[in-house]
Amino acid sequence: MRKIHYTDSYLLSPYHPVTIFVIGAGGTGSQVITNLARMDLALQALGHPGLHVTVFDPDIITEANIGRQLFSEAELGQNKAMAIATRINSFFGSIWMAESCHYPLGGANNKKEPMLANIIITCTDNIRSRLDLWKFLKEYRNMNVSNEKTPIYWMDFGNAQITGQVLIGNIRNKIPQPASGEYIPMPKMNVITEEVSYSTVKEMDSGPSCSLAEALEKQDLFINSILAQVGCDILWKMFKEGRTLYRGAYVNLDTLRVNPIPV
């Protein structure tokens, strides 16, 4: 029988909008945030409270970002998180938030009351940020309460020039699963740092580009948008159908293939 993961029940019928943190509003993040805005409207049309998103990014918009990322010349010099949250709120009538800083605030050793969300989505381009984030998030694996501050899932996007992957896994240690005669329910899906041994991977921080042409040498024009569509479709089905047979996918633009990662 095939393995399946049933979505945490809190996300399917919460009293408040499901909270989501998107870390990184660049090439992939700007696409993901726009997809989440569409998902928010669709969920509300189905009677769900929808989504409340907070965007984290300390970077400002430069000329090299325009074209490959969802920013315009009118937004040059603005903070990426602030710019895209303002645009989404104006277009969709939402009240999403932005933080012009890294997440978690103050790093993993911050002693203040932490900012938490039900779903954490990372769209960053370096390894250290993922390791620091998991060091912070795994402290909340055994939370028993379910509310807007309960971390449940972590979805990570990563890509090279023409390839990329997306993977969603549990922050919450085990998610209760209903019995099934058709599938094998899986209460746990690994997060990216449990799936990949980053100690053997070289740091691949791409750094800022001086022009769009230079940026396209590092990441092709459509790798981010295709990857964002694939990942958000997995998340959409987890909300709409309450389950998923896939916990991620690999995308290759050279071969035009999307290879799913089964639960």
Side-chain angles (χ1 to χ4, degrees):
M1 291 193 293
R2 299 176 69 185
K3 295 178 181 178
I4 196 169
H5 176 81
Y6 290 94
T7 310
D8 190 285
S9 59
Y10 172 76
L11 300 186
L12 302 180
S13 55
Y15 293 108
H16 305 286
V18 170
T19 52
I20 297 180
F21 287 173
V22 178
I23 305 169
T28 302
S30 58
Q31 302 279 350
V32 168
I33 294 160
T34 303
N35 289 345
L36 291 175
R38 298 170 59 198
M39 196 183 305
D40 176 39
L41 289 182
L43 287 171
Q44 291 185 55
L46 296 174
H48 188 280
L51 311 174
H52 180 74
V53 175
T54 302
V55 187
F56 293 82
D57 199 314
D59 294 338
I60 63 170
I61 300 164
T62 66
E63 290 185 1
N65 301 143
I66 299 170
R68 193 178 63 81
Q69 302 180 16
L70 291 184
F71 299 109
S72 69
E73 289 188 3
E75 296 169 318
L76 283 172
Q78 296 182 35
N79 171 262
K80 289 182 179 180
M82 298 289 186
I84 198 161
T86 298
R87 189 185 334 135
I88 291 293
N89 290 342
S90 297
F91 191 88
F92 290 95
S94 52
I95 52 171
W96 291 4
M97 301 175 64
E99 298 284 348
S100 56
C101 59
H102 294 286
Y103 179 85
L105 304 184
N109 296 319
N110 184 28
K111 301 302 182 183
K112 296 181 180 179
E113 183 178 354
M115 293 180 65
L116 297 168
N118 301 137
I119 301 172
I120 309 294
I121 299 177
T122 42
C123 306
T124 59
D125 56 8
N126 62 80
I127 294 169
R128 175 50 54 188
S129 64
R130 290 169 171 83
L131 296 175
D132 289 345
L133 178 62
W134 184 234
K135 181 180 178 181
F136 170 72
L137 290 177
K138 67 183 180 182
E139 298 295 324
Y140 302 95
R141 300 209 81 171
N142 296 315
M143 286 184 67
N144 294 320
V145 297
S146 293
N147 56 39
E148 71 279 4
K149 293 184 178 181
T150 304
I152 302 173
Y153 293 107
W154 173 13
M155 174 173 274
D156 178 74
F157 291 85
N159 67 278
Q161 184 182 17
I162 58 171
T163 61
Q165 74 286 325
V166 56
L167 189 78
I168 188 168
N170 299 39
I171 300 172
R172 173 170 274 175
N173 195 29
K174 288 185 178 180
I175 293 174
Q177 302 285 289
S180 174
E182 184 179 0
Y183 301 102
I184 302 173
M186 301 296 292
K188 184 180 185 300
M189 299 186 293
N190 285 347
V191 298
I192 188 68
T193 50
E194 295 173 313
E195 197 77 6
V196 177
S197 178
Y198 280 124
S199 61
T200 63
V201 180
K202 293 182 179 180
E203 181 64 68
M204 295 296 290
D205 190 341
S206 61
S209 301
C210 296
S211 67
L212 176 58
E214 182 181 343
L216 291 173
E217 290 297 317
K218 301 174 182 177
Q219 298 183 44
D220 207 40
L221 185 59
F222 294 110
I223 182 62
N224 303 106
S225 55
I226 292 175
L227 194 60
Q229 295 281 359
V230 171
C232 287
D233 184 65
I234 293 173
L235 196 58
W236 165 245
K237 286 185 170 62
M238 289 179 68
F239 278 109
K240 184 173 180 287
E241 299 176 6
R243 62 182 190 172
T244 181
L245 291 166
Y246 306 104
R247 59 194 178 98
Y250 296 105
V251 174
N252 188 322
L253 293 188
D254 192 39
T255 60
L256 292 180
R257 289 182 179 275
V258 177
N259 293 322
I261 303 173
V263 168

